Amino acid sequence: MFSSHGPSVRELAVQGLSSVERGYDLLAPKFDHTPFRTPDRMLDAVEETLAQVEGGFDAGLDVCCGTGAGIDMLRRLCRDRITGVDLSAGMLAEAGRAHADDDRVDFVRADARALPSALAQTYDLAVSFGAFGHFLPAERLTLFSGIHAALREGGVLAFPIGAPLPLGSPLWWATTGFDAAMRVRNAVWRPPFVMYYRTFPLGPVREDLRATGFTVETLPLEHFGRRPDGAPHWRLVLARRT
Ligand SMILES: C[S@@+](CC[C@H](N)C(=O)[O-])C[C@H]1O[C@@H](n2cnc3c(N)ncnc32)[C@H](O)[C@@H]1O
């Protein structure tokens, strides 16, 4: 899973016992060599689908941008300003280095649950990849409200979401085991490191998006195929501020 340039087991353990912010600060220089960075295959599928169904965008926002996985996509999809927001200064430093050549791109250090009011009604497209596991279900309305406020009227929040894992499959066991271990870790250790794989299911997420004021549609990401019951393995959620 990790290349030889990735973090050692010891480094991962230290990061996992830190806060989310500190953990990512420590991981930042090696983050792009871990499986935690969203794979290009997913980024390409989302970009292609967005390009097909939407007419082009002016300003773009990458929420929890990390080292900037979603920024190149926004550079291609958006004509104007592009902003990456993240909690971790270390991750933002890596993102800033990688995109220093484009003066349309800026980075803002902020908690996604409290986006700065200066970003309000600025963006036509917001994306987020691989970060929603860092938010407890009770925090979703706050998170979505901030993104809703950052979008212009008609603006879209887009993110991929996976189908429920088949009960008892190896991945189901792995993610269930990981979440259980994190709950134990967070019960006995401070500061907490909130990261769960199974706390962001489509049904409740859609309800929270609607409660925030978004209209919601989903599109299959056919690039990842379908389950035996015909449901897509991955969908793109498009939540529009109307
Ligand atoms: C798994 S990384 C994903 C980074 C990037 N989006 C990608 O797909 O490669 C999760 C990111 O979420 C950020 N993050 C976690 N909690 C956050 C919060 N409350 N506000 C802003 N960023 C947060 C972390 O600092 C980290 O950069």
Side-chain angles (χ1 to χ4, degrees), residues 214-231:
F214 286 105
T215 55
V216 185
E217 64 174 313
T218 65
L219 298 172
L221 289 172
E222 298 292 359
H223 313 66
F224 299 98
R226 291 189 174 244
R227 305 187 321 179
D229 66 2

mmCIF file of all heavy atoms in Angstrom, residues 214-231:
data_model
loop_
_atom_site.group_PDB
_atom_site.id
_atom_site.type_symbol
_atom_site.label_atom_id
_atom_site.label_comp_id
_atom_site.label_asym_id
_atom_site.label_seq_id
_atom_site.Cartn_x
_atom_site.Cartn_y
_atom_site.Cartn_z
ATOM 1 N N PHE A 214 -29.454 22.589 -0.147
ATOM 2 C CA PHE A 214 -29.008 22.129 -1.464
ATOM 3 C C PHE A 214 -30.114 21.308 -2.133
ATOM 4 O O PHE A 214 -30.866 20.617 -1.452
ATOM 5 C CB PHE A 214 -27.789 21.212 -1.331
ATOM 6 C CG PHE A 214 -26.500 21.894 -0.987
ATOM 7 C CD1 PHE A 214 -25.958 21.814 0.296
ATOM 8 C CD2 PHE A 214 -25.782 22.594 -1.952
ATOM 9 C CE1 PHE A 214 -24.744 22.417 0.614
ATOM 10 C CE2 PHE A 214 -24.569 23.204 -1.648
ATOM 11 C CZ PHE A 214 -24.050 23.118 -0.365
ATOM 12 N N THR A 215 -30.156 21.347 -3.472
ATOM 13 C CA THR A 215 -30.874 20.295 -4.187
ATOM 14 C C THR A 215 -29.816 19.263 -4.581
ATOM 15 O O THR A 215 -28.691 19.633 -4.936
ATOM 16 C CB THR A 215 -31.590 20.815 -5.442
ATOM 17 O OG1 THR A 215 -30.626 21.473 -6.263
ATOM 18 C CG2 THR A 215 -32.687 21.788 -5.079
ATOM 19 N N VAL A 216 -30.190 17.994 -4.516
ATOM 20 C CA VAL A 216 -29.175 16.943 -4.637
ATOM 21 C C VAL A 216 -29.513 15.986 -5.774
ATOM 22 O O VAL A 216 -30.650 15.529 -5.888
ATOM 23 C CB VAL A 216 -29.077 16.125 -3.319
ATOM 24 C CG1 VAL A 216 -27.945 15.114 -3.408
ATOM 25 C CG2 VAL A 216 -28.883 17.046 -2.131
ATOM 26 N N GLU A 217 -28.534 15.728 -6.617
ATOM 27 C CA GLU A 217 -28.660 14.620 -7.576
ATOM 28 C C GLU A 217 -27.372 13.804 -7.519
ATOM 29 O O GLU A 217 -26.334 14.289 -7.052
ATOM 30 C CB GLU A 217 -28.929 15.124 -9.002
ATOM 31 C CG GLU A 217 -27.813 15.935 -9.589
ATOM 32 C CD GLU A 217 -28.041 16.298 -11.059
ATOM 33 O OE1 GLU A 217 -28.405 15.412 -11.846
ATOM 34 O OE2 GLU A 217 -27.825 17.465 -11.409
ATOM 35 N N THR A 218 -27.447 12.562 -7.982
ATOM 36 C CA THR A 218 -26.229 11.759 -8.053
ATOM 37 C C THR A 218 -26.103 11.194 -9.461
ATOM 38 O O THR A 218 -27.111 10.913 -10.112
ATOM 39 C CB THR A 218 -26.234 10.593 -7.036
ATOM 40 O OG1 THR A 218 -27.263 9.675 -7.380
ATOM 41 C CG2 THR A 218 -26.424 11.084 -5.613
ATOM 42 N N LEU A 219 -24.875 11.054 -9.897
ATOM 43 C CA LEU A 219 -24.593 10.473 -11.204
ATOM 44 C C LEU A 219 -23.672 9.276 -11.003
ATOM 45 O O LEU A 219 -22.741 9.357 -10.189
ATOM 46 C CB LEU A 219 -23.863 11.494 -12.094
ATOM 47 C CG LEU A 219 -24.620 12.776 -12.413
ATOM 48 C CD1 LEU A 219 -23.687 13.750 -13.130
ATOM 49 C CD2 LEU A 219 -25.832 12.472 -13.271
ATOM 50 N N PRO A 220 -23.906 8.184 -11.734
ATOM 51 C CA PRO A 220 -22.995 7.043 -11.582
ATOM 52 C C PRO A 220 -21.624 7.390 -12.157
ATOM 53 O O PRO A 220 -21.541 8.046 -13.200
ATOM 54 C CB PRO A 220 -23.670 5.942 -12.414
ATOM 55 C CG PRO A 220 -24.586 6.659 -13.350
ATOM 56 C CD PRO A 220 -24.974 7.955 -12.706
ATOM 57 N N LEU A 221 -20.577 6.998 -11.470
ATOM 58 C CA LEU A 221 -19.229 7.102 -12.041
ATOM 59 C C LEU A 221 -18.953 5.745 -12.702
ATOM 60 O O LEU A 221 -18.454 4.817 -12.052
ATOM 61 C CB LEU A 221 -18.202 7.430 -10.949
ATOM 62 C CG LEU A 221 -18.291 8.864 -10.382
ATOM 63 C CD1 LEU A 221 -17.367 9.026 -9.177
ATOM 64 C CD2 LEU A 221 -17.960 9.911 -11.442
ATOM 65 N N GLU A 222 -19.317 5.667 -13.973
ATOM 66 C CA GLU A 222 -19.277 4.372 -14.668
ATOM 67 C C GLU A 222 -17.852 3.824 -14.773
ATOM 68 O O GLU A 222 -17.651 2.626 -14.976
ATOM 69 C CB GLU A 222 -19.899 4.480 -16.069
ATOM 70 C CG GLU A 222 -21.371 4.872 -16.082
ATOM 71 C CD GLU A 222 -22.295 3.788 -15.507
ATOM 72 O OE1 GLU A 222 -21.800 2.719 -15.107
ATOM 73 O OE2 GLU A 222 -23.512 4.045 -15.451
ATOM 74 N N HIS A 223 -16.867 4.703 -14.616
ATOM 75 C CA HIS A 223 -15.463 4.281 -14.692
ATOM 76 C C HIS A 223 -15.153 3.155 -13.712
ATOM 77 O O HIS A 223 -14.211 2.401 -13.908
ATOM 78 C CB HIS A 223 -14.544 5.457 -14.352
ATOM 79 C CG HIS A 223 -14.919 6.736 -15.061
ATOM 80 N ND1 HIS A 223 -16.095 7.409 -14.818
ATOM 81 C CD2 HIS A 223 -14.272 7.442 -15.989
ATOM 82 C CE1 HIS A 223 -16.161 8.488 -15.577
ATOM 83 N NE2 HIS A 223 -15.059 8.533 -16.306
ATOM 84 N N PHE A 224 -15.938 3.057 -12.632
ATOM 85 C CA PHE A 224 -15.627 2.072 -11.592
ATOM 86 C C PHE A 224 -16.569 0.860 -11.630
ATOM 87 O O PHE A 224 -16.555 0.040 -10.721
ATOM 88 C CB PHE A 224 -15.665 2.750 -10.212
ATOM 89 C CG PHE A 224 -14.662 3.858 -10.112
ATOM 90 C CD1 PHE A 224 -15.046 5.173 -10.310
ATOM 91 C CD2 PHE A 224 -13.321 3.589 -9.893
ATOM 92 C CE1 PHE A 224 -14.118 6.198 -10.268
ATOM 93 C CE2 PHE A 224 -12.381 4.604 -9.852
ATOM 94 C CZ PHE A 224 -12.784 5.917 -10.047
ATOM 95 N N GLY A 225 -17.405 0.796 -12.675
ATOM 96 C CA GLY A 225 -18.244 -0.378 -12.858
ATOM 97 C C GLY A 225 -19.424 -0.430 -11.892
ATOM 98 O O GLY A 225 -19.688 0.521 -11.152
ATOM 99 N N ARG A 226 -20.091 -1.569 -11.922
ATOM 100 C CA ARG A 226 -21.307 -1.733 -11.127
ATOM 101 C C ARG A 226 -21.256 -3.003 -10.296
ATOM 102 O O ARG A 226 -20.539 -3.935 -10.632
ATOM 103 C CB ARG A 226 -22.524 -1.752 -12.038
ATOM 104 C CG ARG A 226 -22.757 -0.375 -12.670
ATOM 105 C CD ARG A 226 -24.052 -0.279 -13.395
ATOM 106 N NE ARG A 226 -24.256 1.102 -13.849
ATOM 107 C CZ ARG A 226 -25.231 1.895 -13.435
ATOM 108 N NH1 ARG A 226 -26.113 1.455 -12.560
ATOM 109 N NH2 ARG A 226 -25.336 3.134 -13.886
ATOM 110 N N ARG A 227 -22.021 -3.020 -9.236
ATOM 111 C CA ARG A 227 -22.135 -4.210 -8.387
ATOM 112 C C ARG A 227 -23.053 -5.227 -9.059
ATOM 113 O O ARG A 227 -23.775 -4.884 -9.990
ATOM 114 C CB ARG A 227 -22.717 -3.810 -7.024
ATOM 115 C CG ARG A 227 -21.938 -2.721 -6.346
ATOM 116 C CD ARG A 227 -22.415 -2.461 -4.955
ATOM 117 N NE ARG A 227 -23.863 -2.521 -4.792
ATOM 118 C CZ ARG A 227 -24.483 -2.341 -3.637
ATOM 119 N NH1 ARG A 227 -23.780 -2.102 -2.551
ATOM 120 N NH2 ARG A 227 -25.796 -2.392 -3.553
ATOM 121 N N PRO A 228 -23.054 -6.475 -8.583
ATOM 122 C CA PRO A 228 -23.935 -7.482 -9.186
ATOM 123 C C PRO A 228 -25.401 -7.046 -9.202
ATOM 124 O O PRO A 228 -26.151 -7.400 -10.101
ATOM 125 C CB PRO A 228 -23.738 -8.716 -8.292
ATOM 126 C CG PRO A 228 -22.374 -8.523 -7.699
ATOM 127 C CD PRO A 228 -22.169 -7.048 -7.551
ATOM 128 N N ASP A 229 -25.840 -6.234 -8.237
ATOM 129 C CA ASP A 229 -27.249 -5.787 -8.233
ATOM 130 C C ASP A 229 -27.480 -4.598 -9.155
ATOM 131 O O ASP A 229 -28.588 -4.060 -9.217
ATOM 132 C CB ASP A 229 -27.699 -5.448 -6.803
ATOM 133 C CG ASP A 229 -26.945 -4.234 -6.225
ATOM 134 O OD1 ASP A 229 -26.113 -3.635 -6.947
ATOM 135 O OD2 ASP A 229 -27.198 -3.876 -5.066
ATOM 136 N N GLY A 230 -26.449 -4.179 -9.902
ATOM 137 C CA GLY A 230 -26.627 -3.104 -10.888
ATOM 138 C C GLY A 230 -26.302 -1.720 -10.359
ATOM 139 O O GLY A 230 -26.202 -0.755 -11.125
ATOM 140 N N ALA A 231 -26.142 -1.575 -9.058
ATOM 141 C CA ALA A 231 -25.845 -0.244 -8.495
ATOM 142 C C ALA A 231 -24.384 0.123 -8.793
ATOM 143 O O ALA A 231 -23.511 -0.751 -8.778
ATOM 144 C CB ALA A 231 -26.081 -0.264 -6.991
#
